[in-house]
Amino acid sequence: MIKPILSRAKIAVKLALTHAKDYRSGHYQHFCRDNISGIQFRHCLTFRQEIKPSTTLANKLYNLKTASEKINRYIIMPNEIFSFWKVVGNPERQFKASRSIIQGQTVNQIGGGICQVSGIVYLASIQAQLEILERHHHSLDLYTDETRFTPLGTDATVVYGYKDLRIRNSFNFPIKFVLSVEENDTILQIQLWSVEPITQHSLQFQKQQLDTFTEVFVSYDDGTPVNHSRYYHL
């Protein structure tokens, strides 16, 4: 019983430090809120990913749907910040155990699988050229080019209290993410709805594979860098 208590204590300290940092930076007053009505969204970009079979698929589907339902309630006004964990909340209170990567190892953990939700939100955001304030890639690449559900370099792992996904609405009109699980639980879909049209920008990938890790550089067509990710090999 000692280890879980210590873990929760460490998370509480990290959350307190993050809260203080948000207050000092001014972010505290700019996080998006739910239950805003009366806005007519007329335009959307749509992205879809396959949900791969796994031994914990039922729990992963539950986690995907639960996280999606929470995100769907929020509208992001101009200059407001979407924080994955401020929207989704503490995973211990609502999610089930599924596969996660912890310290370079695959384990079953409460909330496992929701990184596909944060990842597809990130993918939609970079293709819309929203401002990314915080994003973390996975430490390992568990897939081959044939089995992965998102291009290497477009993932976004989240760890409660430690790693968040934060996106600022850099447009001068409201936007919102709408996620759903489609086609008999085989597809995760996200729609980025907006009041005015948003251009979808294509991505370019440059991959360098070394003995112990693979580096991926993602950029837009004009050469503007998007991110740089390093994935260690199993």
Side-chain angles (χ1 to χ4, degrees):
M1 292 295 293
I2 295 177
K3 188 172 182 179
I5 292 173
L6 288 176
S7 178
R8 287 193 291 271
K10 289 181 180 178
I11 290 173
V13 170
K14 291 288 292 184
L15 290 172
L17 292 173
T18 300
H19 181 83
K21 183 178 179 181
D22 288 337
Y23 187 83
R24 291 193 302 270
S25 67
H27 287 174
Y28 182 76
Q29 297 180 349
H30 295 284
F31 290 112
C32 61
R33 298 175 176 84
D34 63 354
N35 297 321
I36 300 174
S37 60
I39 299 175
Q40 293 187 346
F41 294 93
R42 302 181 184 275
H43 308 273
C44 80
L45 302 178
T46 300
F47 304 87
R48 292 157 63 85
Q49 291 179 352
E50 184 179 354
I51 301 171
K52 300 292 185 178
S54 69
T55 56
T56 57
L57 179 59
N59 285 359
K60 178 177 179 177
L61 287 169
Y62 176 88
N63 293 344
L64 294 179
K65 293 175 182 179
T66 300
S68 296
E69 289 169 0
K70 291 178 174 293
I71 292 171
N72 292 351
R73 297 201 303 261
Y74 282 73
I75 291 175
I76 314 168
M77 302 298 287
N79 203 44
E80 284 192 339
I81 299 169
F82 170 89
S83 161
F84 185 88
W85 286 124
K86 287 188 177 296
V87 169
V88 173
N90 189 338
E92 287 192 356
R93 299 173 182 171
Q94 55 203 315
F95 293 111
K96 297 182 178 181
S98 188
R99 189 176 72 168
S100 294
I101 302 175
I102 303 295
Q103 295 180 344
Q105 296 182 337
T106 57
V107 298
N108 283 345
Q109 186 184 42
I110 297 296
I114 60 173
C115 285
Q116 186 164 1
V117 173
S118 57
I120 201 171
V121 170
Y122 175 67
L123 178 61
S125 298
I126 59 177
Q127 292 202 245
Q129 287 196 344
L130 292 168
E131 182 182 357
I132 309 302
L133 301 179
E134 180 180 351
R135 172 258 179 181
H136 305 271
H137 60 82
H138 286 86
S139 57
L140 299 175
D141 176 26
L142 301 178
Y143 306 98
T144 65
D145 289 339
E146 292 74 26
T147 61
R148 70 178 78 258
F149 53 79
T150 191
L152 192 63
T154 62
D155 58 311
T157 184
V158 286
V159 181
Y160 187 66
Y162 290 84
K163 296 179 180 180
D164 199 1
L165 173 66
R166 293 188 172 191
I167 300 158
R168 189 195 305 274
N169 178 6
S170 48
F171 297 108
N172 60 1
F173 47 81
I175 61 173
K176 69 176 300 182
F177 299 111
V178 177
L179 293 104
S180 58
V181 175
E182 305 286 340
E183 299 183 18
N184 296 320
D185 293 340
T186 62
I187 298 294
L188 177 64
Q189 174 177 282
I190 185 170
Q191 292 180 311
L192 173 55
W193 283 92
S194 57
V195 173
E196 300 292 337
I198 295 176
T199 300
Q200 179 178 337
H201 298 268
S202 59
L203 303 173
Q204 300 294 324
F205 299 85
Q206 181 180 358
K207 184 166 66 173
Q208 183 178 11
Q209 190 157 348
L210 303 175
D211 290 340
T212 58
F213 61 85
T214 298
E215 284 190 309
V216 181
F217 299 85
V218 183
S219 62
Y220 295 115
D221 280 343
D222 63 1
T224 302
V226 176
N227 68 46
H228 165 218
S229 306
R230 176 177 290 184
Y231 305 91
Y232 288 91
H233 303 155
L234 284 171

